[in-house]
């Protein structure tokens, strides 16, 4: 990490203020550990292509905290992050929302171990990373989570089938997408409906000092997902709903 802890905190608080996310200032110390470990282990575990510290703060932390802002928090709510990779958005979200129980799912064991070690080092106690395939883990845990998230994992029709089965009726699936979000949402219309969700709400946002548009695509679950879903991954990817 090219910033000292003091420099990082000053920079993060400034960016949080610019983004209207001051409510998450309390998580600065935990987030410093998250990005320090990303800097230390990023190349070894192939965790991120983003290495510039300013970009890490904006594109990893601030970006993920925009998703955290959309999660209402009575005590005891649960979230699953599908294809969590290096722990984004799940590590920043769990640091920002300590009363939320977060499960980060990834099929690569070294990334799962890295996420669990990072959470422990950062003192994030409401976080567990699990090594499993999304379509298989859904069998014992279908409709048991209040929220599901996914960031830059796959096309939206594919993501819908991997994520929506986990969500309780009344819960939400939040997909983090870039410039093609509206087009992808149109493509995923049929999938979302078939899987039990109302039409998506699309929330545009931008990171401080950056021009590219980003979007949160938010689905609310209104009926049970049929037992046939999710299918195995080869079917999901070859014939998206």
């Amino acid at each position: 990490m090219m910033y000292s802890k003091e420099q990082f905190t000053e920079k993060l608080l400034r960016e949080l203020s610019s983004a209207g996310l001051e409510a998450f200032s309390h998580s600065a110390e935990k987030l410093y550990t998250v990005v320090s470990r990303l800097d230390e282990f990023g190349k070894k575990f192939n965790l991120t292509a983003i290495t510039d510290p300013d970009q890490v703060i904006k594109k990893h932390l601030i970006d993920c905290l925009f998703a955290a802002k959309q999660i209402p928090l009575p005590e005891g709510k649960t979230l699953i992050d599908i294809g969590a990779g290096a722990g984004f958005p799940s590590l920043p979200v769990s640091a920002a929302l300590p009363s939320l129980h977060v499960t980060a799912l990834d099929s690569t064991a070294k990334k799962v171990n890295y996420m669990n070690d990072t959470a422990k080092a950062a003192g994030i106690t409401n976080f567990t990373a699990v090594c499993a395939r999304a379509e298989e883990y859904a069998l014992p845990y279908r409709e048991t989570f209040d929220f599901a998230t996914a960031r830059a994992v796959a096309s939206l029709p594919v993501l819908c089938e991997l994520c929506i089965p986990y969500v309780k009726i009344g819960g939400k699936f939040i997909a983090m997408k870039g410039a093609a979000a509206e087009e992808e949402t149109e493509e995923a219309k049929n999938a979302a409906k078939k899987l039990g969700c109302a039409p998506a709400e699309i929330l545009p946002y931008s990171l401080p000092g950056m021009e590219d548009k980003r979007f949160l695509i938010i689905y609310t679950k209104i009926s049970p997902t049929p037992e046939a879903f999710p299918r195995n991954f080869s079917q999901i990817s070859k014939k998206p709903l």
Side-chain angles (χ1 to χ4, degrees):
M1 186 67 184
M2 290 156 61
Y3 285 136
S4 69
K5 190 173 185 178
E6 291 73 23
Q7 289 171 324
F8 168 83
T9 302
E10 184 183 331
K11 175 75 174 173
L12 177 67
L13 294 181
R14 193 161 61 242
E15 298 291 6
L16 287 171
S17 179
S18 295
L21 298 169
E22 299 94 335
F24 301 133
S25 300
H26 64 86
S27 59
E29 189 167 336
K30 291 175 180 177
L31 293 176
Y32 178 72
T33 301
V34 170
V35 296
S36 297
R37 284 182 55 83
L38 186 68
D39 184 55
E40 183 180 354
F41 295 103
K43 283 185 181 173
K44 181 180 178 183
F45 295 145
N46 190 27
L47 296 173
T48 179
I50 302 167
T51 55
D52 175 77
D54 277 2
Q55 297 292 302
V56 168
I57 288 174
K58 288 181 181 180
K59 291 187 176 180
H60 282 327
L61 303 186
I62 300 299
D63 190 41
C64 293
L65 294 175
F66 271 105
K69 192 177 181 182
Q70 298 304 315
I71 298 169
L73 271 192
E75 284 290 328
K77 293 291 184 182
T78 56
L79 178 146
I80 186 163
D81 182 30
I82 304 295
F88 300 104
S90 44
L91 282 168
V93 167
S94 55
L97 302 172
S99 67
L100 179 70
H101 301 285
V102 175
T103 299
L105 195 67
D106 200 272
S107 60
T108 305
K110 66 182 179 181
K111 291 181 179 178
V112 168
N113 292 336
Y114 165 81
M115 287 188 282
N116 278 324
D117 290 345
T118 298
K120 187 175 180 182
I124 300 172
T125 57
N126 55 319
F127 177 96
T128 305
V130 174
C131 187
R133 295 186 63 84
E135 69 277 17
E136 294 169 2
Y137 196 68
L139 296 175
Y141 292 100
R142 65 186 298 117
E143 298 184 345
T144 59
F145 291 89
D146 297 291
F147 304 98
T149 53
R151 181 181 186 237
V153 178
S155 70
L156 193 54
V158 169
L159 277 184
C160 282
E161 187 166 352
L162 291 175
C163 297
I164 291 169
Y166 286 97
V167 180
K168 296 175 182 176
I169 294 173
K172 295 181 187 295
F173 164 44
I174 303 171
M176 304 176 70
K177 286 288 183 178
E182 290 173 328
E183 184 184 325
E184 283 198 52
T185 304
E186 188 62 34
E187 289 169 0
K189 236 179 191 175
N190 181 53
K193 184 177 181 181
K194 205 174 261 191
L195 294 161
C197 284
E201 179 186 5
I202 305 175
L203 297 183
Y205 67 99
S206 52
L207 303 178
M210 299 184 70
E211 291 182 4
D212 61 318
K213 273 286 182 193
R214 292 166 184 246
F215 299 84
L216 297 174
I217 304 170
I218 304 176
Y219 293 97
T220 300
K221 184 92 166 262
I222 56 173
S223 61
T225 298
E227 291 289 335
F229 306 113
R231 298 165 294 166
N232 67 55
F233 190 73
S234 63
Q235 289 177 300
I236 295 172
S237 54
K238 285 176 188 168
K239 285 192 173 182
L241 293 176

